[in-house]
Amino acid sequence: MEKLAKSLVVVLILLVVAVPLLGRLTTSQPEIVELRARMPENGGWSQEFIYGQVDVPIKLRMTSDDVVHGFALGQSSQPSVEIFPGKFSNAELIFDQPGEYTFYCTRWCGANHWRMRGTIVIEGPTTADQPTSVPPLFLQLGLDLDAPHLARVIPQNRPDSARARARANALPAGLTDGDTIWSNSPEALWIDLKADEALDDQVIWDMVAWGLNQQGSPGWLEQGRELYTQNCLACHGESGKGDGVMVRDLPPMNHDKMGSEATRPPDFSDPAVLLGASPALLEGKIIRGGMGTGMPYWGNIFTSEQIRSLVLYLYRFQMELTEKP
Amino acid sequence: MGAMEKAASYRFDLTRYAWVRRLLTSRWPQFILRAVTLAGFMLVILTGFIGSPVGSRNFAVMFVWIAWWSALKLIMLPFGGRVWCSICPIPMPGEWLQQGWLVKPGGKKFNLGLRWPRRLRNTWLQSAGFAAIGLFSALALTTPVVTAWIFVGLIIVAVVVSVVFEQRSFCRYLCPMGGFIGLYATMAPLELRPQPDLTSVEKGAAVREWPRGCPWINNPAALKANANCGLCLECLRTESGESMALNARSFDAELGQPGAFRLDEAFLSLGLLGSVMIYSAVFQGPWGALKNAALYAGSPAWWGFAAFFLLTSFGLLPALLAGVSALVRRTGNLGQPLQMVFTRFSRALLPLGLLSWIAFTVSFAFGKMAYLWPVLSDPFGWGWNLFGTAAVEWQPYLLNATPVIEAVLLVAGLIWSGRTVLKTAGQLGVRGERRWAAAPVLLFALAGTLILLWLLIG
Amino acid sequence: MTPTKIISALAKPILGLTLAILALSAPLPLPPTQPVERYFRVEASQFAYSPGVLQVNPGDQVTIDLVATDVVHGIYIDSYELQASADPGQTARLTFIADQAGLFRFRCLVPCGQLHPFMLGKLQVGPNLIFLRAVLLSLLGLLWVLWKKPLPTASI
């Protein structure tokens, strides 16, 4: 009788202890990487580095320990995967070139959301043709990203690229040259055009807007809007004023002294800010980040095409730009 | 006695049926249930430590704070009194060490057998334990690891106390849930009592035998109150077992009769009332600052919350009741000392406390019951699906009806306590035509009810 | 017992029950209100909504903009069974007609951290009738308790 009782207790306790251990052993597969997502305050990704080989699939099994996260690969067209607390999501990655790739979190998980990144290190033989990497335009031009760039010439009304379209035949040739547009601020373009053309100030601003608009690749507006909404809005705000929910407690930006402490973003609704910045400058800031001001660096997250769409989208805070100019 | 009084004191002896008595005296049903709860206890500790940190996907949080705690307050306590204590696994390892055997007492003992210190033979330590858990409740209810640590702490303390002290001293004097369960068991419709027709000879014989046989350190022959009887049923299994009966009774059978109530019990009664108000504000209110203060243990806001919790529950409420008791004592020209008036009125407020806790549970738990299904299939939160219920989505259960249910419960508690307050006033000496002298205490009960109504459905 | 004794014994409980039922169900005289359009900007943070209590009248067209300020939050309104979720930077909008009167809690359905199960707010449509009725019932209950109940003689 006593033996029966003892065996019952032993069996029950063994069951309780053995089931999870057996479960762990039988369900864990060595080739699956278990990645846990946590807010950066709680540790961030459980693995900062994931190692793999060329052409060997990496299987990820992901879950979150606190809030909603997401997983995506930088500079990749693979769709992001949502990661819910307590639920498991899977992703399979395969790389055909060795190198370092960035993975990052795609759902806002607090003020440090953008820091939630990791690296996938792929080893293996390189194939013959590797595209040579071109340095970004701001480096080629030697731009000082932290120098003040407030415009002094301001348009009376919002520049409208559609108004300029009506005079398409009379538009100067320089306005279609990509290098020119990307390397100069709208104010600089305006000053150049004003010197050559004897036209109304507003008309010239419209032409500058048209010139910028030409640089948009198909689908840029939607792409720019999506990127801005998912990545930038929370800090830069719905109207670009720099009043997003994430930066409420920060001091306002000082344009003269771009320091290295976190401040609010600049006010894009102020014409002086955007019109004095060349697309190359904006592209550079997006790529490099803010050196301690809190602006994240996106160089290894977005492709050049994405960044260009985003830059054009930013100008929409000051100009009317459309999908098909 | 009036018809109502007769009905209230009617007892139905369930053990008059031989099969009931056999079921209760056999050790197997209770042992099997306790073995299962012990396995559950171990599972809680295991899932708490190595399972998912997400509370709603972890067995530890869901089955302790939602399933067990709700079952305790909604079913076990109001209808069975201390019936959980009869199947609680916490004292089991200690008992095995004491008895030397798993099932039947007897055999080699690992036990010093010391008597619990006289000064601590009350509910002060239980109040302290309950308050301590209460201060960390926001953390414990949402963090599996904290729940696991609490359980580990409980079992270690229980084992140590069992080895040093006699019998179930842990259960009787130390268990944090024990104070809560014991006091509210006063209103339960179930009791274990000596047969009413015991002769004094039989009582005398029992007295000699039962102190050895009652692990809760009671004298069953003299048992008059539910608070300290843990329904372990050992007295039924002794040679004098026939002299004990398990009675079904009305809810008001014990509370309606005058009964002694110590100062520590009075403070616990009021402390529990204060606790349910604060729990309602923290967990069911819309005030984020209060929730964060309760969560971040160790922060300055938390210290403020802790001070507020303790001062209100164990300071302000007793002070207020003492004040109104003094008023009643003066206007009713009562001869008893203030302490007695105070403690008796605290006892009369027990129904309000119990029904408030039930109403709070309805508000708190119904919205979370649906998470139990996925956790059954995936107790560790590792992505398992043992019973196929892992993907069951959340849905609201009865959320439309809960405000009405809570209102009815709270008003019922007020009425029950109100009647008991008047009875108590009469028992203390307030004469019939001066019943309004008891109004201050009734107003105290009304104020408490209104506060709870506002917090839960306001 | 004679019939009159039975009736007099039952009179008090029956009267009490009738009053209780009346208190719970009788229509209370309330000033009629015109439905209007209401807009609320509700900020959700860990772990509360701000404002936490929304007051509207029955029939109002209610628009709630959910603004998440730190992590992804959601909103689910009991009884109405409406839900939305918002990322910081992306406001979610819920528009509905408040056709059910009473007190409804809204809760966060997107796991947003430790106290997520207790992230609650209240939507009050019309006056809080159930609360008023409960208060009325409490007062009636106390009066009923006090009415002509013979107190036992002193025994302690």
Side-chain angles (χ1 to χ4, degrees), chain A residues 18 47 60 76 85 105 134 177 181 188 193 207 262 285 296 306 308:
Chain A
Q47 284 196 35
L60 294 175
S76 148
C105 175
V134 180
D177 176 30
I181 300 287
L193 282 176
M207 287 157 76
K285 291 216 187 203
Q306 284 175 316
R308 294 204 152 188

Side-chain angles (χ1 to χ4, degrees), chain B residues 43-49 55 57-66 143-145 147-148 151 375 379:
Chain B
L43 186 62
V44 164
I45 293 180
L46 209 56
T47 51
F49 280 126
R57 311 291 292 201
N58 191 301
F59 184 88
V61 163
M62 291 308 296
F63 272 82
V64 171
W65 303 114
I66 304 296
T143 320
V145 149
T147 303
F151 274 44
V375 170

Side-chain angles (χ1 to χ4, degrees), chain B residues 247-307:
Chain B
N247 298 324
R249 61 181 197 182
S250 80
F251 291 97
D252 206 32
E254 186 178 329
L255 191 69
Q257 301 301 313
F261 214 54
R262 297 187 310 265
L263 194 62
D264 57 284
E265 290 173 306
F267 269 79
L268 180 58
S269 164
L270 295 169
L272 291 176
L273 192 59
S275 300
V276 72
M277 289 180 191
I278 293 177
Y279 274 41
S280 299
V282 170
F283 291 112
Q284 296 301 101
W287 305 294
L290 182 59
K291 289 179 216 263
N292 283 332
L295 176 67
Y296 295 113
S299 68
W302 180 82
W303 284 107
F305 165 74

Side-chain angles (χ1 to χ4, degrees), chain C residues 93-109:
Chain C
R93 176 164 283 200
L94 265 184
T95 307
F96 61 100
I97 308 255
D99 49 4
Q100 298 176 53
L103 174 79
F104 308 97
R105 280 203 169 81
F106 50 89
R107 50 191 81 228
C108 181
L109 270 201

Side-chain angles (χ1 to χ4, degrees), chain B residues 79-93:
Chain B
F79 296 105
R82 279 225 184 214
V83 73
W84 165 257
C85 300
S86 68
I87 56 170
C88 178
I90 296 179
M92 272 181 101

Side-chain angles (χ1 to χ4, degrees), chain B residues 31-86:
Chain B
F31 178 80
I32 291 172
L33 282 174
R34 290 184 91 191
V36 168
T37 56
L38 183 66
F41 194 86
M42 303 269 94
L43 186 62
V44 164
I45 293 180
L46 209 56
T47 51
F49 280 126
I50 67 175
S52 165
V54 178
S56 60
R57 311 291 292 201
N58 191 301
F59 184 88
V61 163
M62 291 308 296
F63 272 82
V64 171
W65 303 114
I66 304 296
W68 168 78
W69 203 34
S70 303
L72 180 72
K73 288 179 290 176
L74 296 177
I75 303 169
M76 291 195 263
L77 187 50
F79 296 105
R82 279 225 184 214
V83 73
W84 165 257
C85 300
S86 68

Side-chain angles (χ1 to χ4, degrees), chain B residues 88-152:
Chain B
C88 178
I90 296 179
M92 272 181 101
E95 282 186 318
W96 295 340
L97 288 173
Q98 279 183 351
Q99 295 163 185
W101 287 100
L102 258 59
V103 186
K104 223 171 138 84
K108 197 159 93 111
K109 296 182 187 198
F110 278 103
N111 183 237
L112 290 175
L114 295 183
R115 298 208 67 199
W116 191 257
R118 186 171 291 275
R119 282 253 175 80
L120 295 173
R121 283 187 211 156
N122 45 45
T123 58
W124 288 118
L125 288 175
Q126 294 177 305
S127 292
F130 187 86
I133 293 187
L135 290 180
F136 294 95
S137 53
L139 196 56
L141 264 61
T142 55
T143 320
V145 149
V146 173
T147 303
W149 273 117
I150 290 178
F151 274 44
V152 165

